[in-house]
Amino acid sequence: MSVGSNLDVLLVEDNPGDARLVVESLRTAAEGSFQVHHANCLNQAVERLGQMLFDVILVDLNLPDANGLEAVELLIGLSPTAAVLVLSGNEDEGLAIMALHSGAQDFLIKGLAASENLSRSIRFACERKFQRNKLAHLARIDAVTGLPNRMQFDEYLPKTLSRMERSGGTCALFYLDLNNFKPINDTMGHQAGDVLLRGVGERLSACMRRGDMVSRIGGDEFALILEGITGARGAVAAANKIGATLTKPFMLGG
């Protein structure tokens, strides 16, 4: 999600009067434009989320098929990049804190939600969510190569194994360590070492298929996950391909 001038908003509200107030408030907002899509229950909201992506979700805490923070947690799980704001007629500070701890970006009282402050609150919430998503992404990316780092690899591997177990498929796991990497850093400097690491990452990525994972898990170590590999013969063929692409010389400073 990027914070642009036009935002798609999913309003989850079963009270027609409250829904009209929110829609009218956003229709007349000065801060950009809002395309509001209305769902009058949680099940309908889930259906809408399966049809398109939303920048913002405004959700009432009292829905006919959900109560309290249940809806908030479910919607965040289904749309993790969207900024979720809670609408409530209950000025309960404890409830507001619980909503924020559940992942909501803001807690708005319905009387205030119908005011000119609503659009500004949405904009601020979107900016906070955008920055949080950006930091979360950077935390899972290796700064030198731009590849997934160990954190992302550790998340991805068990999910892949579980998926293979359910589907009856197979995958191959490769661990790759660069021999004599330390002398390059010592003699040519860490900048040259970083160039080499990026080059290795680029070559590995280029010889993989879409859906394969190439990650730098630390130092001069890389890990690869290849799905759909058929037996040991397929793994050996993939290993030979990887070896061949890394055998060619790397040029560092001439």
Side-chain angles (χ1 to χ4, degrees):
M1 178 191 70
S2 61
V3 185
S5 58
N6 302 311
L7 297 175
D8 286 307
V9 179
L10 176 61
L11 171 62
V12 190
E13 171 63 74
D14 65 316
N15 186 305
D18 290 337
R20 280 195 301 270
L21 287 174
V22 171
V23 171
E24 182 62 22
S25 177
L26 294 180
R27 187 182 69 82
T28 59
E31 295 89 354
S33 63
F34 300 86
Q35 184 66 40
V36 182
H37 304 257
H38 182 218
N40 55 30
C41 65
L42 180 59
N43 286 334
Q44 195 174 89
V46 171
E47 183 179 344
R48 292 287 181 87
L49 288 172
Q51 297 169 348
M52 67 176 290
L53 295 175
F54 291 93
D55 302 299
V56 183
I57 300 176
L58 301 175
V59 56
D60 181 18
L61 284 186
N62 294 307
L63 297 170
D65 54 350
N67 213 353
L69 298 176
E70 173 190 350
V72 176
E73 295 170 351
L74 177 61
L75 294 173
I76 290 175
L78 292 174
S79 186
T81 61
V84 176
L85 293 83
V86 171
L87 298 174
S88 176
N90 186 358
E91 298 188 42
D92 185 335
E93 185 176 349
L95 182 61
I97 293 174
M98 290 174 61
L100 296 177
H101 284 170
S102 296
Q105 295 300 306
D106 208 344
F107 185 93
L108 305 176
I109 306 303
K110 285 189 177 182
L112 298 177
S115 73
E116 61 183 10
N117 294 326
L118 176 58
S119 61
R120 191 173 296 111
S121 296
I122 289 176
R123 292 288 172 187
F124 289 160
C126 285
E127 182 61 35
R128 289 194 298 272
K129 185 66 175 181
F130 176 75
Q131 294 300 333
R132 180 178 295 183
N133 290 342
K134 184 177 179 180
L135 290 174
H137 174 74
L138 291 175
R140 302 168 73 245
I141 296 295
D142 175 56
V144 174
T145 63
L147 295 172
N149 62 13
R150 178 182 289 273
M151 178 186 297
Q152 189 171 166
F153 174 81
D154 288 344
E155 295 172 357
Y156 188 81
L157 179 59
K159 292 178 181 178
T160 301
L161 295 177
S162 297
R163 190 169 62 255
M164 294 298 100
E165 186 176 6
R166 290 194 303 270
S167 65
T170 57
C171 66
L173 171 64
F174 292 91
Y175 169 79
L176 189 152
D177 178 87
L178 303 181
N179 291 334
N180 301 316
F181 178 73
K182 186 175 183 298
I184 294 176
N185 280 336
D186 293 343
T187 59
M188 302 182 66
H190 286 276
Q191 186 174 0
D194 288 349
V195 172
L196 176 59
L197 291 173
R198 282 193 291 272
V200 171
E202 289 169 359
R203 290 194 189 182
L204 291 174
S205 298
C207 71
M208 295 296 102
R209 307 157 304 173
R210 179 177 296 181
D212 293 335
M213 183 185 202
V214 180
S215 61
R216 181 189 175 211
I217 58 177
D220 58 359
E221 301 169 314
F222 294 80
L224 297 79
I225 302 174
L226 285 66
E227 297 188 30
I229 295 295
T230 305
R233 182 175 297 179
V236 170
N240 289 335
K241 182 179 180 181
I242 293 168
T245 194
L246 295 179
T247 299
K248 301 173 185 177
F250 289 86
M251 297 300 294
L252 302 175

